[in-house]
Amino acid sequence: MSDATPTGRLDTEGPKTSRPFHEESPASPAETVIDVDTRAQGTDISPDMFGVFFEDLNYAADGGLYAELVQNRSFEYGPADRPEWHALTAWEPLERDGAAGSLTISTDMPLHPANPHYAVVRTTATGAAGLGAGLRNEGFDGIAVRAGETYDVSLFARRADGAADLLVARIESRDGSRSHGQAELGPVHGSWQRHTAVITCEATDPDARLAVVASGTGTVHLDLVSLFPQATFRGRPGGLRADLAQTIADLKPKFVRFPGGCLAHGQGLGNMYRWPETVGPLHERRQQHNIWHYHQSMGLGYYEYFQFCEDIGAKPLPVVPAGVCCQNSDVTGQVGIPEEEMPDYVAEVLGLVEWANGPADSPWGALRAAAGHPDPFGLEYLGVGNEDTITDTFRDRFSRIHDALSEHHPEITVIGTLGPCPAGEDWEKGWAFARERGVPVVDEHSYKSPRWFLENTRRFDTMDREGPHLYIGEYGSWSNNGRSAIAEAAYMIAMERNGDVVRLASYAPLLAKRGRTQWLPDLIYFDNTHVWPTLNYHVQHMHSVNSGDTALPVTVTGAPQSPPAPRSPRHTVHLGTGSETHAEFTDVFLGPLDGEPVPAPDFGDWHAESGTWEPDGTGGVRQTAGGTDARLLLPYAADGPSYAFRVRARKTGGAEGFVLGFAGTSPGNRCQWTLGGWGNRSTWLQRVDDGVQDDLGDRVAEPVETGRWYDLRVEVDGRRIRCYRDGVLVHDVEDVRPDPEVFAVSAVRDSAAGDVIVKIANTTPEPVTVRLRLAGADADAGFARTTLTVAPDATSRFGPAPAAPVDDRLTGPVCDIPVHSFTVLRTLRGDGAARDAELPRSAGGAPPFHGAGHGRDVRHRIRVGSETADQGRTW
């Protein structure tokens, strides 16, 4: 990325050092002054900055946001989802009160070829109540129902033979002893027909079941068996779970990105998410396995995504595959759609725009209208690709799609991809390719430690204002604790200060279900009856509902600073193994870089922090436990800051490889070299801060062989780290990072409300007294204040968050900023409406967002502590 001189942003001048960030800080000055020039023209902020990203991960769709209560309703589960799954997973046969029969699966003359499996219920004898055989569904970890609420039950049925021409659907207790409500469906004829009824539930039961039984002897075929609460979000039949959808809506997101993520480009070409297969009647949508190892019913498809966006006032941001599957696809890796199929695929992408925006009498627009939405949805953004490796195949396929969109739909803003990380080879290639192709926006992903976010609040300041804008499509700081939440608040402040080039941002992942969580952290946790917003959610909400249209110049004087790092004279080292891995270690040596290494102390002097470690009988040690993160430590073993650490290691079995730790200065703070990690696919070097890992450089595709001895050597030379495997240099990294911004501030103008909004993230353990001076506004009138204060290690997941934002009013310009807090201050009086009357307005009343430069000069003075810098740029 090219350099430019920043404007309208808080920054410091001078070289950046690499002091580690710790919780301790020096005493703060008596008062910190924040000056905001509310009279300045300021810098336009993207009107679409803060949104949400939904991916069907952690059971976010089926069993989550999509309100269907029946699992495997179309009998399409199979080994592609999970090896142990089959077409009757989540179902069981019923033979009650003397009834007899069978339950099987058939594919002969199905309801629709897209979903070939259906259930065959055969009754050979009826029971005492005249009912025959049937089947019962367990739902997604049970079916939660409430007394007095109504539920739509529906199914497709066909009578094959006999007199079984009526079906009874019943919501019942888990053991089947109590009926909570039932309804009849039929009559059943000799061809497929859809039958519907309504059940009023008579009891509240978090773990109910749905049973369907025949009313006589004979054979009945069943498909798409469904149970839906009528109380869905906005009351839409077959819609979304109301409490989950409302929690998302309360964020007031400016956009919703969907359906992925890795889900979009899929596990191999056949698993790509193809949007045309997710619209139209439910029984005609092609279901498929989920890259996250469960199932997609496609009940939550493109029509439902677009409808949800419209319902909550958010712009849709769909992501289509860039003509390649995920580079991590088993067996194939990244491969492109075959040449002969690319014209049809490009037409498919163009068809999406017509489906979303075309008139109701256009070919694709007619399909949208038939679903009940004759008016266009108003699509503006389209993501092409997700975290793709920037290969020649990717470049070719992406270019064809991008060029076709540019030619036929120049009104669409195409969003490209920068790979999986905010640095490294793919990131650099992605930027170069985006500039070459003229891609207007690129998607960057940042799953990093809280410290990384604080160290990188200034990274947007020097972005090329003329180059592609940035969409931070996925970011999160690896925890749902207070430290992560406040660090994310500071990073979002940095985005806002650079809202002319950071165009969109969305935390990820959004949803995670109890007992089905595959990725941590997440923004909202839930089970069948509860929804738990996290501390991170509160930060997102505080930012989103307090968005502005203009970033104002800010001067901060006397802000608390990151303290100098204490220097440890000696470093801890450790040996470890990866997930479910056994290994042996021997011949450990430590010593100076320029001298002879000496044997490390006997393993009896090491500390087994985790795992099962035992002597091998020859002076070595072996680790024999399963699980993850086995570590054997030698505290303060190496003289810092320069030394060599050497060991011989052999994997004896398991899924991964070795983990060598070094440069350990305190618990949870070290560097580590992982060999054969990520399912024994890659080798990489990391720094660990407060127990959270961050990669140092690119990952190398090198596995670890079972039974082979490896000579491993690590050289620590101050900030420079070299790692050798069998004498071959694998990593050579200099770990130099900027100082963290531990006290972050932004100020924005909300022209529509006539308000000025000041946001302050204080990540230090010291309270700060702030005096606000708003040039051009009356700060003495006070502010509406929202404050989130939380201990760094306080965690929120499956339960109420340990802290929530508190609203009050601040009288006068002096504000006490608590420790570890995020504060939003909004001017109480609407002086801004008259003050900003001369500023240019768009049709909506706010200053227009122009994106790249539009010819004005903004200059401001920045003071942080004793540092001062004049910075300006014409744009």
Side-chain angles (χ1 to χ4, degrees), residues 288-307:
Q288 65 178 13
H289 69 272
N290 187 309
I291 195 173
W292 299 109
H293 307 295
Y294 54 102
H295 191 80
Q296 300 174 78
S297 73
M298 297 304 179
L300 178 55
Y302 260 54
Y303 182 84
E304 290 75 21
Y305 283 124
F306 273 78
Q307 185 67 76

Side-chain angles (χ1 to χ4, degrees), residues 522-873:
D522 305 280
L523 201 63
I524 302 165
Y525 294 88
F526 68 95
D527 63 15
N528 286 346
T529 57
H530 300 86
V531 176
W532 296 290
T534 60
L535 295 166
N536 315 70
Y537 174 95
H538 291 319
V539 165
Q540 294 288 323
H541 182 265
M542 289 171 65
H543 265 294
S544 186
V545 301
N546 291 288
S547 298
D549 51 75
T550 309
L552 297 171
V554 177
T555 302
V556 179
T557 307
Q561 298 292 291
S562 175
R567 299 283 182 180
S568 174
R570 300 185 68 85
H571 287 173
T572 295
V573 300
H574 80 246
L575 311 175
T577 56
S579 175
E580 302 295 339
T581 301
H582 300 169
E584 297 175 333
F585 300 88
T586 190
D587 297 337
V588 180
F589 286 84
L590 293 160
L593 288 176
D594 54 357
E596 285 295 322
V598 297
D602 183 86
F603 283 116
D605 295 328
W606 294 55
H607 168 62
E609 185 176 88
S610 54
T612 300
W613 299 86
E614 58 189 33
D616 67 0
T618 62
V621 67
R622 60 171 64 100
Q623 200 290 118
T624 59
T628 61
D629 203 23
R631 286 204 296 269
L632 184 67
L633 279 75
L634 183 60
Y636 308 113
D639 286 322
S642 298
Y643 56 89
F645 169 36
R646 193 180 79 197
V647 63
R648 295 184 71 229
R650 178 172 66 176
K651 171 182 171 180
T652 57
E656 297 192 327
F658 323 114
V659 181
L660 302 186
F662 53 95
T665 56
S666 60
N669 295 277
R670 63 182 182 275
C671 292
Q672 66 183 34
W673 183 18
T674 299
L675 300 97
W678 197 34
N680 202 23
R681 296 177 181 176
S682 300
T683 292
W684 64 89
L685 183 63
Q686 293 176 313
R687 188 174 71 179
V688 182
D689 296 312
D690 298 313
V692 181
Q693 303 167 3
D694 273 335
D695 288 3
L696 297 174
D698 290 328
R699 299 190 175 195
V700 179
E702 290 186 355
V704 168
E705 298 177 21
T706 301
R708 171 183 167 185
W709 282 104
Y710 292 90
D711 290 315
L712 307 175
R713 177 181 172 89
V714 176
E715 295 180 352
V716 180
D717 188 7
R719 297 294 177 185
R720 188 172 184 180
I721 301 168
R722 299 181 184 91
C723 298
Y724 297 84
R725 188 172 85 164
D726 294 331
V728 177
L729 181 64
V730 179
H731 306 287
D732 187 349
V733 174
E734 190 166 6
D735 181 20
V736 177
R737 300 191 182 189
D739 285 335
E741 184 180 5
V742 297
F743 189 83
V745 181
S746 68
V748 301
R749 178 190 296 124
D750 180 353
S751 299
D755 293 339
V756 173
I757 304 166
V758 178
K759 301 177 183 179
I760 305 169
N762 178 20
T763 70
T764 76
E766 300 292 336
V768 180
T769 300
V770 165
R771 178 174 297 277
L772 293 150
R773 299 195 301 209
L774 275 58
D778 184 8
D780 291 334
F783 300 85
R785 177 170 58 180
T786 303
T787 307
L788 175 66
T789 305
V790 60
D793 295 321
T795 299
S796 58
R797 276 186 186 150
F798 296 103
V806 175
D807 295 318
D808 64 0
R809 289 178 177 254
L810 174 68
T811 301
V814 177
C815 178
D816 291 328
I817 304 299
V819 303
H820 303 297
S821 66
F822 177 40
T823 301
V824 178
L825 302 163
R826 182 184 282 266
T827 53
L828 280 174
R829 299 194 327 186
D831 297 339
R835 178 179 67 250
D836 301 334
E838 308 85 26
L839 293 176
R841 291 285 188 265
S842 64
F849 175 71
H850 299 284
H854 44 92
R856 66 179 186 269
D857 182 80
V858 180
R859 184 167 295 275
H860 67 292
R861 178 168 290 274
I862 304 163
R863 294 190 304 275
V864 180
S866 61
E867 297 179 340
T868 303
D870 270 326
Q871 301 184 15
R873 179 174 57 79

Side-chain angles (χ1 to χ4, degrees), residues 272-400:
M272 283 181 170
Y273 195 102
R274 307 295 285 264
W275 78 267
E277 297 171 342
T278 76
V279 297
L282 294 178
H283 66 282
E284 297 180 5
R285 301 183 185 184
R286 184 179 71 92
Q287 302 183 33
Q288 65 178 13
H289 69 272
N290 187 309
I291 195 173
W292 299 109
H293 307 295
Y294 54 102
H295 191 80
Q296 300 174 78
S297 73
M298 297 304 179
L300 178 55
Y302 260 54
Y303 182 84
E304 290 75 21
Y305 283 124
F306 273 78
Q307 185 67 76
F308 180 52
C309 291
E310 186 172 85
D311 283 344
I312 66 175
K315 294 181 180 181
L317 199 166
V319 178
V320 298
V324 295
C325 63
C326 180
Q327 58 265 21
N328 300 315
S329 295
D330 294 339
V331 182
T332 68
Q334 184 197 81
V335 293
I337 291 175
E339 289 282 343
E340 63 273 15
E341 298 178 18
M342 274 303 295
D344 287 343
Y345 182 71
V346 171
E348 179 181 310
V349 176
L350 296 177
L352 172 58
V353 181
E354 181 182 295
W355 178 85
N357 292 352
D361 59 357
S362 64
W364 283 110
L367 184 62
R368 181 197 67 238
H373 201 286
D375 294 331
F377 278 116
L379 177 67
E380 297 180 20
Y381 295 107
L382 181 59
V384 179
N386 171 77
E387 293 189 359
D388 298 292
T389 301
I390 312 300
T391 62
D392 289 342
T393 301
F394 166 81
R395 291 186 183 95
D396 174 77
R397 303 305 192 269
F398 179 94
S399 296
R400 298 190 208 188

Side-chain angles (χ1 to χ4, degrees), residues 30 35 141 145 200 224 275 286 329 332 346 401-402 425 431 465 568 648 782 823 865-866:
D35 285 296
D141 305 312
V145 293
T200 300
L224 196 63
W275 78 267
R286 184 179 71 92
S329 295
T332 68
V346 171
I401 299 166
H402 175 259
E425 183 179 2
W431 273 108
R465 263 54 196 174
S568 174
R648 295 184 71 229
T823 301
S866 61

